Amino acid sequence: MGIAGLALFLLLTVSGCSRFRPKLADQYVYVTAKQTFLRDRVAAVSNRTGNVANGDRLKVLEHGRRFLRVQTEKGELGWIDEKVVATQDIFDGFEALKKDHQKDPTVASGVVRDEVYMHLKPGRDTERLFRLAEGEKLQLLTRASLTKAVSGPPMRARAAVAPAATPATNAGGSKAAAKKPVVEETPLPPAMEDWWLVRDSQGHTGWLLSRMLDVDAPDSLTRYAEGQRIVGAYVLTKVNDPDAPQDDKNIPIYLTVMSPYKAGLPYDFDQVRLFTWNVKKHRYETGFRQKNIEGYLPVEIKTSKDPFGKTQLAAMALPAFSYRVLAADAAPVVPDLVTGTMTPGKLVVKMYRLEGNTVHRLLPPGVTAPEEAHPVPPDEKKKGAAGKRHRR
C-alpha cells in the first residue's frame, strides 16, 4: 500500500469512528437577574447583542473566564456573566420541588411585600432563581423555622443571683461585710427566622423569607389585629347590606387566625377570630374568638349540617370551619434542625358552625371536649428561667 493509500485508509477510519462517537448533550443556564444584556465581546467596551430577563433559558456555546457565550431562544448570541445565571441542576431542583408539592393544599393567600428571590431551600445562603415582583400573589403551603445566622459570640442574659446567707457578725463580734450579688450569665436562645414554601401565579414553587410577604387580608380586618400577625384570612360566607359604605354590598364574613410577631414559634397560630357584619351599624364585629391555643394550619372552610342538633337549623347546610390544636398530652413540638419544618404529634380537631351571627361547636351529646395544650406566656417563661437560676 502506497503513501496515498495509507492516508486514504486513515481518513476513512477516523471518519467512520466519528459516526459512532456520542454527541455531547446541549448545556443550558437560566437567568437569575431581573434583567440584563448580552455583549459581543468580553471587554471594557462592547456592544449589546440582546436582552434577557429572569428565568430565560440560554444555550451555552462556549466557556470563558467568568463569562459564557450563549444563545437565546430567539437566536441572539453573546457573552453573559456567569454570576447572573443558574445551572441546569438548580433549575431541575426547582422543578422537582414544584412536582413534589403540586398537590399540597393552600393554607393561606399572601402577597409579596418587595422584590424578592425564591430559594430552593429555606435559608439565606441557599440557591435561588426566580425573582418575584412586589405585589405578586402567592399561595402559602408550609412554614419552616431555622436558626438565624449571626456573627460574633452568642448573646447572653445577665441575672443577679442572691449570695449565700451570711451571719450577722463574725467571730470577733463585728458586723460582716455584705456580699455583692453574684451576676450569672446564661446564653439566650438563638434567633430564629421563619420561611414559607410558596407557589406564585406562574406555578413556580420555592421558599421565601417570611418577613418579605404579607398574608392577603383587607385593611378592614388588619385594623383589628391588636398587634398580632394575621396568619390566614378566609371568607366563610357573605351578607348583603344594601346600606353598606362599600361599593360591593355583599360583605364577606371573615375567619382569621393570628400569632405574635415572633419567628420560630412551635405552632402556626395562637388565636382564632371570626368577624361578623352588623347590618344595622354597617361594621365588622367579633362574633367568635379563641385565644391561648397552639393551632396548626390548614384551616378548613365548608358548609355542614349539625348531625347532633335538634333544631330546625340543624338540618340546614350552613357555613362551618375547623382547625387543629395540639392535644394536652402531646409532646412539645420542635423544628427539624435540617429542614426547619415542624411535625406536631397528637392533635385535636375543633369544628364549628355559624348559625346567623352565633357560632356553635359540633360535638356529640354527652361528649366532653378533649383537653388542649396552651402556650406558656412569655412572662411565665422568664419567671421559670429565673427560678431555675435561683435554685442553682
Side-chain angles (χ1 to χ4, degrees):
M1 181 182 296
I3 298 178
L6 180 61
L8 178 61
F9 173 76
L10 292 175
L11 179 62
L12 293 175
T13 302
V14 172
S15 62
C17 293
S18 63
R19 289 185 301 170
F20 300 101
R21 186 179 302 162
K23 183 181 179 181
L24 295 177
D26 293 335
Q27 182 184 0
Y28 293 93
V29 292
Y30 299 82
V31 179
T32 60
K34 180 180 179 180
Q35 287 183 335
T36 188
F37 59 90
L38 306 181
R39 56 180 70 185
D40 61 348
R41 64 176 66 88
V42 181
V45 179
S46 60
N47 299 315
R48 296 189 181 188
T49 60
N51 296 312
V52 291
N54 181 253
D56 286 353
R57 187 176 79 155
L58 308 175
K59 184 179 180 180
V60 178
L61 303 177
E62 184 180 348
H63 287 265
R65 185 178 181 182
R66 298 187 300 105
F67 284 84
L68 303 172
R69 187 169 179 266
V70 297
Q71 180 181 10
T72 69
E73 294 185 348
K74 297 179 181 179
E76 299 167 329
L77 302 175
W79 292 87
I80 190 171
D81 193 330
E82 62 181 11
K83 292 182 180 180
V84 297
V85 295
T87 63
Q88 184 68 49
D89 289 341
I90 297 174
F91 179 84
D92 291 342
F94 276 96
E95 287 296 298
L97 192 66
K98 175 182 177 179
K99 183 178 179 180
D100 292 343
H101 297 276
Q102 62 184 354
K103 296 183 180 179
D104 288 8
T106 301
V107 299
S109 298
V111 60
V112 176
R113 182 180 297 177
D114 198 356
E115 289 189 352
V116 63
Y117 277 102
M118 273 186 173
H119 288 250
L120 188 56
K121 297 178 181 179
R124 299 195 181 205
D125 297 329
T126 57
E127 302 290 354
R128 61 188 191 176
L129 173 54
F130 300 111
R131 186 182 179 94
L132 304 183
E134 180 182 357
E136 172 75 18
K137 298 291 185 180
L138 302 172
Q139 297 175 7
L140 277 58
L141 305 179
T142 189
R143 180 176 66 98
S145 295
L146 295 176
T147 303
K148 183 178 180 181
V150 295
S151 58
M155 298 183 64
R156 294 177 176 270
R158 305 183 67 184
V161 180
T166 305
T169 57
N170 56 21
S174 60
K175 292 183 178 180
K179 292 186 178 181
K180 295 182 179 180
V182 179
V183 177
E184 191 170 297
E185 293 186 351
T186 56
L188 288 174
M192 304 291 288
E193 282 185 336
D194 281 348
W195 290 77
W196 274 100
L197 181 64
V198 303
R199 185 186 298 122
D200 70 2
S201 59
Q202 300 182 54
H204 299 143
T205 304
W207 292 90
L208 293 188
L209 186 62
S210 176
R211 65 180 182 84
M212 299 304 295
L213 61 90
D214 292 313
V215 169
D216 197 5
D219 294 337
S220 54
L221 294 187
T222 55
R223 69 182 67 173
Y224 298 113
E226 298 176 352
Q228 294 279 99
R229 176 196 288 121
I230 296 180
V231 178
Y234 314 92
V235 177
L236 190 59
T237 185
K238 292 186 177 182
V239 174
N240 184 264
D241 182 1
D243 298 324
Q246 297 92 323
D247 293 335
D248 188 353
K249 306 304 179 182
N250 293 316
I251 311 300
I253 304 301
Y254 282 98
L255 179 74
T256 62
V257 290
M258 307 178 186
S259 74
Y261 277 94
K262 182 179 180 181
L265 294 172
Y267 47 83
D268 292 326
F269 56 89
D270 67 350
Q271 182 178 159
V272 179
R273 192 172 178 183
L274 176 67
F275 291 92
T276 57
W277 183 259
N278 189 319
V279 294
K280 293 182 179 180
K281 298 182 179 179
H282 315 296
R283 69 184 185 189
Y284 279 112
E285 294 180 349
T286 300
F288 169 81
R289 190 173 191 173
Q290 281 211 335
K291 303 173 67 175
N292 195 33
I293 59 176
E294 297 192 29
Y296 295 89
L297 297 169
V299 173
E300 185 178 1
I301 305 296
K302 60 182 180 180
T303 57
S304 174
K305 297 179 181 180
D306 185 357
F308 316 114
K310 297 181 180 180
T311 65
Q312 184 177 1
L313 291 177
M316 298 177 61
L318 296 176
F321 60 91
S322 63
Y323 56 91
R324 306 171 302 159
V325 297
L326 192 67
D329 56 350
V333 181
V334 294
D336 184 275
L337 295 178
V338 178
T339 64
T341 56
M342 301 185 190
T343 306
K346 184 178 179 182
L347 295 172
V348 175
V349 179
K350 305 177 71 174
M351 184 171 180
Y352 297 86
R353 206 170 79 118
L354 179 63
E355 300 179 4
N357 281 343
T358 306
V359 175
H360 296 280
R361 184 171 183 180
L362 299 183
L363 277 176
V367 173
T368 303
E371 294 187 4
E372 310 167 18
H374 299 285
V376 180
D379 293 341
E380 293 188 16
K381 287 183 179 180
K382 293 179 181 179
K383 292 179 182 177
K388 290 180 182 178
R389 289 195 296 268
H390 182 70
R391 286 194 294 271
R392 286 201 301 268

